[in-house]
Amino acid sequence: MRADRTQKGRRGHMGMSVTISAATDHDAEQILKLQYLCYQGEAELYGDYSIAPLTQTLAELRAELAAGCVLVARLGDEVVGSVRGTAAGPEGTAVISGMIVHPRMQRHGLGGRLLAAVEARLAAEGAARFRLATGHRNEGNLRLYRKWGYAQVATEQVTRKLTVVTMEKSQKEQQEQQEQQEKAPGARDGAAEAALATSF
């Protein structure tokens, strides 16, 4: 996998800054453990502990790492966040999923940084639009995605308790969002990032 240029975080933690870069196979175990931790709240929200992120195997995750765009946020040697992207299909839409942020690192804008990083990577690979999905009860996610320019395009009732909300935005909107962020580099993403989860 092509190495990404590391993005240094503005917010330090115990003297270290969070960096975002391409995940490697060596990150697989940490990503899986973090995923299991982060999706507990999502499972509790819908009363369903059989959701895919809680049952994914290490081998399945390693296959994703080898096949797609997976980014990680690191604090020193620890993986404290991750997000995945699937290259754009024939219609030019790339899919973003699996965004997770360690509970102790939430509410500091890391979710927004991961989202911006994966959008930039996918746009460089030819994506014209970005699509993601989240549960209808996950207000933190919905606020974050709306803040980053996503709009609801569809809903699907998966179970009696769970309705998945699909949201999209265009590359043009992504570029405008990036320009706004660059104009206000010190702005903190105030959106709640509790139980960040975008994959079902």
Side-chain angles (χ1 to χ4, degrees):
M1 184 178 291
R2 186 180 79 239
D4 279 4
R5 181 169 59 86
T6 300
Q7 301 182 12
K8 292 190 177 295
R10 294 188 295 269
R11 183 175 298 276
H13 183 78
M14 295 181 67
M16 294 183 289
S17 62
V18 175
T19 60
I20 297 176
S21 59
T24 70
D25 187 67
H26 296 295
D27 297 317
E29 288 190 30
Q30 283 201 67
I31 294 172
L32 193 64
K33 288 177 182 177
L34 181 60
Q35 176 174 293
Y36 189 81
L37 173 66
C38 291
Y39 277 89
Q40 293 297 316
E42 194 81 2
E44 183 178 357
L45 199 58
Y46 301 104
D48 183 0
Y49 287 84
S50 65
I51 56 177
L54 295 183
T55 59
Q56 186 175 36
T57 66
L58 186 59
E60 289 169 343
L61 178 55
R62 283 196 163 124
E64 283 191 45
L65 284 170
C69 167
V70 183
L71 304 181
V72 290
R74 291 186 178 88
L75 182 64
D77 294 329
E78 182 187 3
V79 172
V80 294
S82 183
V83 65
R84 302 168 204 181
T86 303
E91 77 285 0
T93 301
V95 177
I96 295 171
S97 64
M99 187 163 73
I100 49 178
V101 174
H102 195 289
R104 77 172 191 275
M105 301 297 293
Q106 291 172 10
R107 305 178 191 278
H108 296 296
L110 185 53
R113 287 185 58 210
L114 282 164
L115 193 56
V118 76
E119 286 175 354
R121 172 73 175 264
L122 294 168
E125 294 179 357
R129 294 192 67 78
F130 308 99
R131 176 182 300 152
L132 48 75
T134 190
H136 71 290
R137 294 182 184 174
N138 199 323
E139 291 297 332
N141 278 2
L142 292 167
R143 280 195 298 271
L144 176 67
Y145 302 145
R146 289 186 187 115
K147 180 181 176 68
W148 281 84
Y150 285 83
Q152 179 177 320
V153 294
T155 60
E156 178 186 0
Q157 187 167 352
V158 178
T159 68
R160 185 172 57 85
K161 294 183 178 180
L162 170 63
T163 297
V164 172
V165 179
T166 299
M167 306 177 81
E168 289 186 2
K169 80 172 181 179
S170 68
Q171 185 190 6
K172 180 181 177 183
E173 291 166 327
Q174 180 259 343
Q175 290 172 333
E176 292 172 352
Q177 186 79 32
Q178 189 174 28
E179 289 171 3
Q180 289 174 3
Q181 292 297 317
E182 288 172 356
K183 289 178 183 176
R188 179 171 135 184
D189 184 353
E193 296 180 56
L196 277 170
T198 61
S199 173
F200 289 89

